[in-house]
Amino acid sequence: MQNNVLILDFGSQYTQLIARRVRELNIYCEIHPYNKLPEHVSDFKAVILSGSPFSVRSEDAPHPDLSEIRGKKPLLAVCYGAQYLAHFSGGEVAPSNTREYGRANLSFVKENEQFFAGIDIGSQVWMSHSDTIKQLPSGAVKLASTSDVENAAYRIEDEDTYAIQFHPEVYHSTDGKKLLENFLLQIAGVQPDWTPNSFVDVTVAELKEKLGNDKVVLGLSGGVDSTVAAVLLHKAIGANLHCIFVNNGLLRKNEFSAVLNRYEGMGLNVKGVDASARFLEALAGESDPEKKRKIIGNIFIDVFDDEAHKIEDAKWLGQGTIYPDVIESISVNGPSATIKSHHNVGGLPDFMKLKVVEPLRMLFKDEVRRVGASMGLDPELLGRHPFPGPGLAIRILGDITSEKVNILQEVDAIFINGLKENGLYDKVWQAGAILLPVQSVGVMGDERTYENCVALRAVESTDGMTADWVNLPYEFLQKTSNAIINRVKGVNRVVYDISSKPPATIEWE
Ligand code: XMP
C-alpha cells in the first residue's frame, strides 16, 4: 500500500477524525501509536501529531522520539502536538487561565502565509485544551491568535513544521479542511491520488499476489462490509473464494432468500446454509440477552466450521474487518479488554486456525461504501441500515419461539417497507421493531382481545455510539400502526420509542 501521511496518535478522541478528514482529501494516511513508530517512517511524505488527554507537563505524558521526523519531513502538530514541540524546544506551556474549550474565532492571521491561504480573520476554530502555550519555542513565527489564545498557530523558521492549538479535524473548525489541504497539498506536496478506483486496482493486484491459487473461505452476513470484502476477493481470485451465508432463523422477513439471490446474481460462489432450526432449538427457553448472544455466537461458529471443512484445502479466512476495529486493536490505550468468549474455550475451531485476509482493514465505513459503489454494487445494498448479528433474537424481549419470530418479521417488514415507500428510509440510520413481553387489552370488532405490544424504533446516528430518535411524521406513524394492528395477528398495540442514546441504547436488549 502507498505510504502517504503518518498520523502519530497520542490518544486523542479526535485522532480518527483527523484520518477521515485527510482521506476526504483523497490522501491516504495511517494512524500509528506514538510509542510504536512504523518501520519505514522515511516512506511517509508528511506527519501529523494528534492531540492527547495528557498535559505535556505531566511525567507520564507521551514523549515521542521525533528524531527521524522533525526537520526532515513536513510536520503538522495539533493541540498536544503543538504544546509538545513548544515545551521541549525552548517555549513554555502552562495551565491556561481562560476558558479554552469550544468555539473561538481567529482574531489575527499573519499575511502571505501558504498555511493560512484562503482563511481569513474571523474564521471559527474549535479549541479543546486546558494547557496553553505561553511562549513559543525558539525559531517560531506566530501565525494566528484568537482573543483568548495568543499562540493559536505557529511555524518554525527554515523547517516545514507547523503547529496549531485548535482542532482542524472537528466540524466546528469551519476552515479546518482548507488548512489540512494547504498543509498536505501545498506545503507537503502530497498527491491526492487515494480514490476508490485506485484502491480497488491496488488491492486486487495485492490480493492476487498474496493468495495465488489458494482457496479462501468467507462468511457473508448480508451487510455492507462482508459483501464489499467478498466482491474484492472475487475480483482477485474468482471461484477460489468460497462464501458461506448462514440463516440463523432470526433474519428479517424473506431476507435469507433475497440476499442469497442477490449474491448469486453478483456471480459470487456462495453457499446458503439454512440452520434456523438448530439456532431456535438451542435458544428455546432462554431469556437472558447475553446468554442468547452467546448461544447464537457458538452455534454460528459450529455451523460455519462444519461448512468450512467441506471446502478442501482452504488456506485463508476472509474477513470484512474495517479500520476502526484495527485502530482499536493497536490503540495507545492497548487493545480492548474484552476477549471474545470463544477464545477461551480450549481448542479453537479449525477455521479460526486459517490465515486471515482482510481487504478492508485500512478503510473507514464511508470509504467501504464508496469502494462498493465504484465496483458497481447496488446502491440499495450499500445504503442498508445496520442490523445486529444476533438479529431479531435481541428484539424479542424474553424467550424466543418461532411464532414470536414470525410476528416480529411481519411487523418489521411493514415498518421498514413503509419507511422505504415514504422516502424516509435513507433519512434514518437504523430502524426496527421490538416485540415486548407485554400483553394488553384491546377490542377488535365486538371482541375483547388480550394481545402483544410492539415498539417501533428509528434513530439518527453516525456510528451507533450516540443516537437520537427520529421525529417521524405523525401521519406515517398513524398509517404504520394501523397496518400493523390490522394485518399482524397477535398484535393489538403499537408504541414509538422516543429515547435517545445515551442514556438508552439503540437495541432494547
Ligand atoms: P446499542 O444497542 O448498543 O447498539 O446502542 C449499537 C449498535 O450495535 C448494534 N448491536 C449489535 N450488533 N451484535 C451485533 O452485531 C450485537 O450483539 C449487537 N448489539 C447491538 C445495534 O444494532 C446498533 O447498530
Side-chain angles (χ1 to χ4, degrees):
M1 192 60 67
Q2 51 195 342
N3 285 334
N4 267 351
V5 176
L6 168 63
I7 299 172
L8 276 194
D9 180 27
F10 299 112
S12 161
Q13 57 175 335
Y14 296 133
T15 305
Q16 279 197 40
L17 262 189
I18 300 181
R20 287 173 63 168
R21 293 287 170 266
V22 172
R23 298 270 186 101
E24 280 170 15
L25 295 169
N26 291 333
I27 291 173
Y28 180 72
C29 60
E30 287 177 14
I31 297 176
H32 289 266
Y34 75 90
N35 51 2
K36 205 161 169 251
L37 285 176
E39 252 174 56
H40 303 289
V41 171
S42 59
D43 291 346
F44 289 92
K45 299 195 177 67
V47 179
I48 299 178
L49 307 182
S50 86
S52 170
F54 281 98
S55 156
V56 280
R57 295 170 298 106
S58 101
E59 265 185 23
D60 49 358
H63 290 173
D65 173 10
L66 298 179
S67 54
E68 281 184 74
I69 295 169
R70 172 90 192 263
K72 298 184 176 151
K73 307 227 158 255
L75 174 64
L76 173 62
V78 175
C79 195
Y80 177 89
Q83 296 172 350
Y84 179 77
L85 291 188
H87 186 66
F88 287 99
S89 310
E92 188 197 344
V93 176
S96 56
N97 34 30
T98 50
R99 183 176 173 273
E100 296 187 8
Y101 181 82
R103 290 181 181 81
N105 296 89
L106 296 180
S107 54
F108 161 77
V109 176
K110 190 170 181 302
E111 282 182 7
N112 300 324
E113 288 289 332
Q114 208 168 23
F115 189 50
F116 276 97
I119 302 172
D120 297 324
I121 289 180
S123 177
Q124 178 177 289
V125 295
W126 183 260
M127 298 282 181
S128 177
H129 47 102
S130 48
D131 275 357
T132 198
I133 300 172
K134 295 272 190 224
Q135 195 187 322
L136 290 177
S138 46
V141 179
K142 184 172 76 179
L143 297 184
S145 313
T146 69
S147 57
D148 287 334
V149 182
E150 170 77 19
N151 298 310
Y154 65 87
R155 69 172 162 80
I156 306 286
E157 253 175 332
D158 304 322
E159 286 180 21
D160 278 336
T161 299
Y162 290 78
I164 42 184
Q165 286 204 84
F166 55 87
H167 288 272
E169 67 277 18
V170 174
Y171 169 76
H172 305 286
S173 291
T174 38
D175 289 315
K177 196 167 168 183
K178 178 76 185 141
L179 200 77
L180 289 172
E181 192 181 317
N182 287 345
F183 172 72
L184 291 170
L185 272 72
Q186 312 308 330
I187 293 167
V190 181
Q191 291 302 314
D193 52 9
W194 170 252
T195 60
N197 286 338
S198 71
F199 172 82
V200 172
D201 292 346
V202 170
T203 306
V204 169
E206 279 177 357
L207 290 171
K208 276 188 179 152
E209 165 96 29
K210 181 174 190 167
L211 303 172
N213 240 335
D214 289 355
K215 286 185 191 166
V216 177
V217 189
L218 178 138
L220 286 168
S221 70
V224 177
D225 300 345
S226 64
T227 307
V228 174
V231 174
L232 273 169
L233 283 160
H234 180 75
K235 266 182 183 284
I237 61 167
N240 270 342
L241 172 69
H242 293 255
C243 302
I244 299 169
F245 178 42
V246 175
N247 185 5
N248 57 12
L250 300 155
L251 303 174
R252 295 194 137 117
K253 187 181 175 185
N254 298 333
E255 187 96 327
F256 182 59
S257 55
V259 172
L260 194 55
N261 284 339
R262 174 179 265 156
Y263 283 145
E264 284 165 354
M266 288 158 62
L268 293 177
N269 176 10
V270 55
K271 178 163 182 202
V273 183
D274 188 353
S276 310
R278 203 162 151 186
F279 281 89
L280 290 179
E281 235 164 74
L283 284 166
E286 185 55 67
S287 298
D288 181 281
E290 289 315 305
K291 287 195 183 137
K292 287 195 229 173
R293 282 187 168 85
K294 203 163 252 177
I295 291 170
I296 293 166
N298 288 339
I299 303 271
F300 180 85
I301 287 170
D302 288 349
V303 171
F304 193 86
D305 203 34
D306 288 350
E307 291 304 320
H309 273 284
K310 295 180 192 160
I311 300 157
E312 265 173 52
D313 298 330
K315 294 259 184 333
W316 299 83
L317 177 68
Q319 289 192 325
T321 317
I322 64 174
Y323 201 32
D325 308 328
V326 175
I327 296 171
E328 155 92 355
S329 69
I330 60 162
S331 92
V332 171
N333 309 316
S336 145
T338 46
I339 297 168
K340 294 212 177 81
S341 48
H342 55 251
H343 288 178
N344 294 331
V345 291
L348 287 173
D350 287 337
F351 75 85
M352 288 188 68
K353 297 177 196 154
L354 298 173
K355 290 183 280 185
V356 173
V357 53
E358 299 168 313
L360 310 178
R361 61 181 278 115
M362 298 314 280
L363 298 190
F364 288 109
K365 188 88 184 180
D366 48 326
E367 293 178 311
V368 175
R369 292 207 178 90
R370 283 168 60 202
V371 164
S374 85
M375 294 191 295
L377 265 66
D378 189 345
E380 197 183 317
L381 190 156
L382 296 174
R384 279 164 60 109
H385 291 171
F387 186 68
L392 301 181
I394 54 169
R395 294 186 182 166
I396 295 172
L397 308 197
D399 72 318
I400 294 161
T401 63
S402 59
E403 193 198 353
K404 290 183 186 175
V405 173
N406 289 339
I407 291 178
L408 191 57
Q409 281 179 333
E410 293 302 324
V411 173
D412 177 80
I414 292 171
F415 183 37
I416 299 295
N417 290 337
L419 288 171
K420 288 182 179 163
E421 284 157 15
N422 288 277
L424 295 165
Y425 185 84
D426 292 334
K427 299 194 172 110
V428 167
W429 189 77
Q430 186 173 20
I434 301 100
L435 182 63
L436 306 183
V438 168
Q439 275 78 43
S440 73
V441 174
V443 273
M444 280 196 187
D446 292 331
E447 287 196 27
R448 185 177 182 281
T449 61
Y450 189 61
E451 285 179 330
N452 296 295
C453 176
V454 292
L456 306 181
R457 180 115 168 98
V459 295
E460 286 167 354
S461 178
T462 46
D463 51 12
M465 303 297 285
T466 61
D468 278 328
W469 60 276
V470 180
N471 202 344
L472 291 176
Y474 280 173
E475 204 184 323
F476 169 76
L477 289 172
Q478 186 185 29
K479 274 200 255 167
T480 308
S481 162
N482 278 346
I484 290 170
I485 293 173
N486 287 338
R487 306 213 308 252
V488 187
K489 215 166 163 284
V491 175
N492 69 352
R493 194 172 294 269
V494 176
V495 298
Y496 187 56
D497 183 349
I498 53 167
S499 326
S500 290
K501 172 182 180 177
T505 49
I506 296 175
E507 305 293 347
W508 281 40
E509 283 198 335

